[in-house]
Structure formats: C-alpha cells, structure tokens
C-alpha cells in the first residue's frame, strides 16, 4: 500500500513539473530570449509598453530598459517648446524621465522658475485700444514680435527698442490658492496693477498667459542646456 502511495506522489510531482515546463514554454520571454523580446517591445507604443511592466518581474526588467525608453523619450520630447529641468537629475531612469515628462507637460500651475527661465512674446488682443495695437508689431507686421523678460528679483523688462514699454518700472506676482481637497481655487499672474492673467498650457508644453487686453506666450527653448522650470516635479 505504501509503495502505491509513493508512486502516486511521484506521478503528481512529475505532472506539476510538466505543467510548469509548459507554462515556461508559453512565456515569449523564455521562448525567444531577452534580445529578441527587446526588439519586439521596442516597436510598441509607450502605453502598451507600460502595460508589459505588470506581467512579471522578469518582464518588468526588460520592459523598463533604458534602451527602450530612451527612444520613447526622444519621440515624446520631439517638437516640445520646453523640457523640464529635473530631467537632468543624476541616476534618473529613462522610464521615470518619460513618466515625469508627461506629468509635467500636463501641469497647469505655473511657477516663478517658469517665468524667469523663458523669454516671452507679448502682443495686444483685438479688444485692446487701437492706439496700442498700432504700436504692436503683431498687428502692424513690420517688426519681430515684442518680448518681455521676467527676473528672479520680481521685476519685468523689455527690449530697449520696445515702443510700448516706455521704460516704466514693472513687477510681477504669481497668485495661487487652494481648496480644502487640494485642488486649485484660483491661479493667475499679475503685472503691476494690470488685470490678472489666466494661465494655460499648449500642446507643445509651452505656456500662455492672457487677459482681455493682451497675451504672453513663452518662446520655445527646448535646446537650452539643463532644461527649464522647477528643480523638482510639481504635482
């Protein structure tokens, strides 16, 4: 009787081993190997590739490879107006760089670093008085667009040949308030006592600030060494 029991136990163990072997043979990572799977995963879009991270530890190891995500980052950053400064953090994986870039690209809260890191094109809107529009190259088309510059000390300046500026002193402030649940109640930028400007984000990760009189648009500077904006991700 004992011999039959031992034999039955051995058969069960053999069946379990065979099932495990079958499962292993069905795993493409085992069947094709690391190098071939790396080439296959490299052809996936970022969303599909991210889902591969959840399959298993071994799949996560290959799906999070810098070799793959370096290309995804290049594709993501192509044509963007600005690239975040924190991407230069030493030791940051390409997967993290991609995820944080997407997160920062959706950020609607402008920081002072965003203001002073960029040059800004300025123009009056059609609702502005005709006198000001007649001085604005955006409307006359006879000169490059006017530019404004925000500085760390809270001041703002313009180019020396700016006909609208007039050399007057100017300062700015960023105002943000939050509700109890952490959502922003209001968020705007104000220059001197002029009407507050609503802040918005373009698809190319550029910034726009505007009111009923005028509009500011950040000048693309993705080529800037070291990136721009806050030193840490803003949630």
């Amino acid at each position: 009787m004992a011999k039959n029991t031992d034999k039955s136990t051995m058969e069960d163990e053999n069946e379990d081993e065979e099932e495990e072997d079958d499962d292993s043979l069905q795993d493409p990572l085992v069947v094709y190997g690391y190098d071939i799977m790396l080439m296959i995963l490299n052809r996936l879009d970022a969303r599909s590739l991210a889902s591969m991270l959840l399959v298993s530890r071994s799949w996560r190891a290959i799906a999070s490879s810098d070799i793959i995500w370096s290309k995804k980052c290049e594709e993501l950053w192509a044509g963007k107006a600005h690239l975040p400064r924190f991407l230069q953090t030493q030791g940051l994986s390409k997967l993290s760089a991609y995820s944080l870039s997407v997160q920062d690209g959706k950020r609607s809260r402008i920081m002072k670093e965003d203001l002073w890191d960029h040059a800004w094109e300025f123009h009056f809107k059609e609702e502005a008085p005709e006198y000001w529009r007649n001085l604005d190259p955006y409307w006359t088309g006879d000169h490059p667009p006017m530019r404004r510059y925000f500085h760390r000390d809270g001041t703002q300046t313009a180019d020396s040949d700016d006909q609208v500026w007039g050399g007057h002193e100017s300062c700015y402030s960023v105002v943000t308030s939050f509700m109890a649940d952490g959502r922003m109640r209001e968020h705007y930028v104000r220059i001197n006592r002029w009407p507050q400007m609503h802040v918005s984000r373009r698809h190319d990760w550029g910034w726009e600030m505007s009111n009923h009189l005028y509009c500011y648009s950040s000048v693309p500077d993705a080529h800037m060494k070291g990136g721009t904006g806050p030193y840490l991700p803003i949630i």
Side-chain angles (χ1 to χ4, degrees), residues 165-184:
W165 185 253
H168 59 276
E169 292 185 1
S170 183
C171 60
Y172 66 90
S173 58
V174 181
V175 178
T176 309
S177 62
F178 297 90
M179 294 186 288
D181 60 4
R183 291 181 298 168
M184 285 193 297

Side-chain angles (χ1 to χ4, degrees), residues 122 133-146 163-164:
F122 170 89
R133 284 188 282 116
N134 288 338
L135 295 175
D136 188 347
Y138 178 86
W139 293 99
T140 61
D142 54 357
H143 290 91
M146 294 183 288
Q163 298 184 51
V164 173

Side-chain angles (χ1 to χ4, degrees), residues 34-48:
Y34 184 91
D35 292 337
I36 293 180
M37 284 304 299
L38 193 65
M39 290 189 291
I40 294 174
L41 294 181
N42 201 33
R43 294 178 177 273
L44 297 179
D45 61 85
R47 184 182 294 274
S48 300

Side-chain angles (χ1 to χ4, degrees), residues 2 30 42 55 83 96 101 104-105 111 155 170 185 214 216:
V30 175
N42 201 33
V55 176
L83 295 181
S96 296
S101 294
D104 189 76
M111 309 298 289
T155 61
S170 183
R185 176 184 286 111
Y214 48 78
Y216 284 76

